[in-house]
Amino acid sequence: LFTERTWRVPRRPADSAELSSAAELLRSARRPLIVAGGGVHYSEARAALLALAELLGAPVAETSAGKGALAGHDLAVGALGHSGTRAANALAREADVVLCAGTRLIDLTTGSNTLFEDPAVRFVGLNVSGADAHKLGGQPLVADARAGLEALAEACAGPPPRARWRDAAATAKRRWRADLDADLEPRPGERMSQ
């Protein structure tokens, strides 16, 4: 029971057909959004996430388990869903392609499947679990998060930058921060509350 062991966790690579379909969707996106889940942390995929986000010009929202996946970066827009930020939720409503990386897409994250409002929104589900990769009718990419993100970056290399969408993400983030600062500003005569 107490014998020292070395545990090797295999990094499942992406299937070439799934990768091709997922990359095609991401390359065609005008308003891509990445949702980073706990699988990004488990897979030590933060650098791969950043590289793909930069390549696509895609803002990165996070689930509860994905908190801090892209902390401090200008493309990081905070939490998504019922307990999400105004910036992340506003961008999710407009997104036309959503890459869900290492997330189970629970109701808390998806606003009970009401958050994504573009009628033609498409999803790419990057997950080691096939069941989670297929959620929301997404294009599955059953793979380790880091291996999948790295493969997507290679397959998506060369699309034009999405400056307008990146600017929209920065604007949404500034508005959210300003609103948050205003909400937290002490008011004369106001008692401390929850």
Side-chain angles (χ1 to χ4, degrees):
L1 178 66
F2 296 105
T3 305
E4 280 194 34
R5 296 183 183 135
T6 301
W7 296 96
R8 291 185 186 8
V9 178
R11 289 199 183 276
R12 180 179 179 157
D15 172 76
S16 60
E18 288 182 352
L19 177 62
S20 178
S21 296
E24 184 179 328
L25 266 178
L26 288 168
R27 282 192 307 266
S28 70
R30 292 180 301 125
R31 297 178 311 277
L33 175 70
I34 300 174
V35 177
V40 170
H41 291 299
Y42 300 137
S43 184
E44 299 175 334
R46 292 178 67 197
L49 173 67
L50 173 60
L52 183 61
E54 285 283 351
L55 176 71
L56 297 174
V60 177
E62 56 197 22
T63 68
S64 297
K67 290 259 190 240
L70 209 58
H73 193 276
D74 67 324
L75 285 171
V77 294
L80 184 70
H82 288 302
S83 58
T85 69
R86 292 175 187 157
N89 289 343
L91 293 165
R93 284 190 287 276
E94 293 183 46
D96 61 348
V97 175
V98 181
L99 169 61
C100 306
T103 173
R104 293 177 293 143
L105 293 175
I106 62 173
D107 284 347
L108 184 68
T109 301
T110 66
S112 299
N113 293 332
T114 63
L115 189 58
F116 304 101
E117 294 180 1
D118 183 311
V121 66
R122 302 288 310 271
F123 297 88
V124 174
L126 169 56
N127 205 296
V128 291
S129 164
D132 290 327
H134 282 84
K135 284 186 176 174
L136 298 179
Q139 166 58 50
L141 183 57
V142 181
D144 168 77
R146 188 169 81 192
L149 290 167
E150 290 170 347
L152 281 170
E154 187 175 319
C156 290
R162 293 164 180 85
R164 185 176 294 153
W165 180 238
R166 191 174 181 147
D167 291 345
T171 299
K173 191 172 175 177
R174 276 193 304 276
R175 284 186 187 144
W176 161 56
R177 288 283 183 195
D179 289 347
L180 183 61
D181 289 344
D183 287 348
L184 297 176
E185 186 69 30
R187 291 166 181 80
E190 183 179 57
R191 294 181 185 192
M192 184 182 278
S193 70
Q194 291 184 10

